[in-house]
Amino acid sequence: MVKIDEKLEPILNEVIRRNAGEPEFHQAVREVMESLGRVVAKHPRYADNALIERICEPERQIIFRIPWVDDQGQVQINRGFRVQFNSALGPYKGGIRFHPSVNVGIIKFLGFEQCFKNALTGMPIGGGKGGSDFNPRGRSDGEIMRFCQSFMTELYRHLGEYTDVPAGDIGVGGREIGYMFGQYKRLTNRYEAGVLTGKALFYGGSRARKEATGYGATYFVERMLATRGLNFEGRKAVVSGSGNVAIYTMEKILEFGGRIVACSDSAGYVVDDDGIDLDLVKEIKEVRRGRIAEYARERKQARYVEKGSIWDVPCDVAMPSATQNELTGKDAETLVKNGVIAVGEGANMPSTPDAVRIFQDAGVLFAPGKAANAGGVATSALEMQQNASRDSWTFEQTETRLATIMRGIHDRCAATAEEFGAPGDYVLGANIAGFVRVAEAMDALGVI
Ligand code: GLU
């Protein structure tokens, strides 16, 4: 483990003490603290006024009961969360995750990361995150709708286009956003389009929002490869996951001339040496809401591996786009041994701390999620802009803005890493650039 600066160590210890049993949150805070040593050494004023302590403490945390009735007439209970982390830069902004693994520590880690990610976009959005331990798998449309309505019946009072603007995340896509928006509208009697992002196009959604996280991550990696005179042309890529992020990462890599050799879902992965047929993945995942195993049943040359790690598949570019801590130190060693040249995180914190260290020590280009996957939330901010001006932009216009934002984030991270004496260290660059923007805004607003 990297040694933490002596001014920062007590702050980290205090975070661990008062947030007991939340390892993902500790991990996310620790990583930022590792980077901030260089900031407080250069600019000691950032350690004043308990600025760093305040950044680690959410402004508000809401935990609530979600009762709903399943198709058998049974009453079910889930737990809902919204962690409103920091609003110095704008209304809280961040997705809602529905997954059985969700707990307060996971939502807190995601909310913490979101503050820095959103700051990196340069847009006026604070950080927050929410979700529930509800498992949508195998649930009917009616059950999903009743659950979303019950979730929003509590959450609506904490939201607003100037207060808190949720979006999707794992388990929450266009369908769920629609049900939540409908319930919000009904409860408030307001057509407040800007209260949720990731809406469908016909009621205030933005073009390119669905594609944005994956496209954005690929733009980031393209720019990062270019620093070494490289590109995607003819390169083999492995993209874990088969949700929104993974699907549109694959689409953009293909457009850039790369080849996708493997993708996965939570049950296993498929390898297709002919190159993954993205249309089939879309059909399985977006239309049938099925499992990736179906791919190998329909493509004879493909092979499905139920147990094991997708990172065993040799590739030039790895894009972990499934979930937190999916790529371990052992996986990183395998990838390095197989000659990986770049890793771009499409998911939030998918690489464990030792995996990150192994990549960096081996000189692999490494793009951390809070920078590389910021295209999703950046396009959410573009959706908010369109809603505020009652406008609707073309796909090209929106994607052009996204591409400019991603290249800007890349360049800001690279320049910051350089300024703080660690050229090429995008983890350090992202943490410091994100932190400085949030800290400056907080300082300007006084002790609040
Ligand atoms: N859940 C996404 C993320 O991790 C998007 C959040 C948003 O659009 O507000 O950044």
Side-chain angles (χ1 to χ4, degrees):
M1 272 198 211
V2 178
K3 184 137 173 38
I4 306 277
D5 178 274
E6 58 182 28
K7 272 206 205 111
L8 302 175
E9 199 171 0
I11 302 178
L12 175 62
N13 290 340
E14 185 59 7
V15 166
I16 293 171
R17 190 193 65 78
R18 68 208 304 223
N19 298 279
E22 298 176 3
E24 293 85 2
F25 182 48
H26 305 166
Q27 181 183 333
V29 175
R30 189 183 169 93
E31 188 209 273
V32 170
M33 293 296 170
E34 286 176 1
S35 301
L36 293 189
R38 292 182 195 234
V39 180
V40 293
K42 207 165 167 177
H43 307 292
R45 72 181 180 88
Y46 284 118
D48 293 347
N49 298 330
L51 208 48
I52 300 174
E53 290 89 332
R54 274 190 281 155
I55 277 189
C56 295
E57 180 69 16
E59 289 176 16
R60 189 177 297 109
Q61 305 182 54
I62 303 144
I63 303 184
F64 52 100
R65 179 171 70 195
I66 313 165
W68 58 283
V69 183
D70 70 15
D71 285 348
Q72 284 67 49
Q74 296 287 324
V75 176
Q76 301 280 346
I77 298 296
N78 286 97
R79 189 173 283 178
F81 305 91
R82 186 75 182 163
V83 174
Q84 298 181 327
F85 224 108
N86 197 299
S87 60
L89 289 171
Y92 309 108
K93 183 84 199 83
I96 303 262
R97 177 177 292 192
F98 291 164
H99 191 271
S101 66
V102 163
N103 57 42
V104 69
I106 298 229
I107 298 300
K108 233 187 261 176
F109 118 66
L110 290 163
F112 183 74
E113 293 266 303
Q114 198 83 47
C115 299
F116 304 105
K117 179 195 311 196
N118 294 5
L120 281 171
T121 66
M123 305 177 97
I125 41 180
K129 201 83 183 191
S132 172
D133 57 2
F134 171 70
N135 185 0
R137 183 151 297 286
R139 291 294 179 189
S140 69
D141 257 3
E143 290 177 316
I144 299 281
M145 181 181 76
R146 291 193 295 281
F147 177 80
C148 289
Q149 290 176 337
S150 184
F151 183 80
M152 191 49 91
T153 300
E154 172 58 36
L155 193 62
Y156 86 98
R157 70 190 83 246
H158 306 289
L159 307 182
E161 63 177 321
Y162 296 110
T163 308
D164 186 352
V165 182
D169 196 80
I170 294 172
V172 177
R175 174 180 59 169
E176 292 74 17
I177 294 291
Y179 293 147
M180 286 193 259
F181 182 71
Q183 186 72 350
Y184 182 86
K185 183 174 82 61
R186 189 177 186 201
L187 289 165
T188 58
N189 193 31
R190 281 167 61 86
Y191 203 107
E192 194 183 327
V195 74
L196 283 168
T197 61
K199 301 180 293 297
L201 278 183
F202 49 85
Y203 70 93
S206 172
R207 291 190 176 79
R209 174 62 190 89
K210 188 170 70 172
E211 295 82 356
T213 313
Y215 279 17
T218 313
Y219 280 122
F220 192 105
V221 173
E222 184 212 26
R223 187 86 164 176
M224 188 169 73
L225 286 168
T227 62
R228 293 198 185 158
L230 306 169
N231 59 40
F232 274 105
E233 200 65 50
R235 305 243 174 238
K236 273 201 282 190
V238 170
V239 182
S240 64
S242 44
N244 237 5
V245 181
I247 287 176
Y248 294 96
T249 295
M250 296 193 256
E251 188 162 283
K252 195 45 95 183
I253 291 177
L254 292 174
E255 222 181 285
F256 283 159
R259 208 152 64 83
I260 314 294
V261 285
C263 68
S264 63
D265 62 17
S266 57
Y269 67 92
V270 279
V271 186
D272 187 340
D273 292 324
D274 288 357
I276 293 284
D277 175 353
L278 189 56
D279 288 337
L280 179 56
V281 176
K282 281 189 185 174
E283 156 73 23
I284 293 169
K285 285 291 167 180
E286 293 184 337
V287 183
R288 297 183 217 162
R289 294 182 188 274
R291 304 304 285 172
I292 206 70
E294 294 166 33
Y295 184 99
R297 288 201 282 277
E298 288 166 48
R299 287 285 178 279
K300 287 289 156 269
Q301 76 282 5
R303 117 186 112 81
Y304 176 65
V305 183
E306 197 168 82
K307 290 209 167 59
S309 168
I310 189 172
W311 309 116
D312 291 343
V313 181
C315 62
D316 305 306
V317 179
M319 304 277 290
S321 307
T323 194
Q324 67 272 358
N325 292 328
E326 57 162 301
L327 195 162
T328 64
K330 194 166 155 282
D331 295 325
E333 274 165 11
T334 310
L335 282 163
V336 168
K337 189 163 63 54
N338 288 336
V340 73
I341 53 176
V343 178
E345 293 190 326
N348 290 311
M349 206 170 77
S351 311
T352 61
D354 49 331
V356 177
R357 215 159 304 121
I358 289 163
F359 290 136
Q360 292 188 322
D361 289 349
V364 172
L365 289 164
F366 179 78
K370 65 168 79 75
N373 75 30
V377 75
T379 307
S380 279
L382 300 179
E383 184 172 333
M384 291 162 75
Q385 278 186 32
Q386 292 170 75
N387 294 150
S389 56
R390 299 179 187 275
D391 198 359
S392 173
W393 307 344
T394 64
F395 195 96
E396 292 67 31
Q397 205 178 347
T398 319
E399 201 195 339
T400 304
R401 292 278 307 260
L402 167 67
T404 308
I405 292 166
M406 291 317 296
R407 290 174 181 142
I409 296 174
H410 171 278
D411 294 356
R412 209 164 310 131
C413 293
T416 307
E418 184 112 22
E419 179 190 338
F420 284 85
D425 186 342
Y426 289 89
V427 174
L428 189 110
N431 285 338
I432 296 182
F435 166 81
V436 166
R437 184 159 182 245
V438 180
E440 288 292 354
M442 284 177 75
D443 208 28
L445 300 187
V447 179
I448 54 168

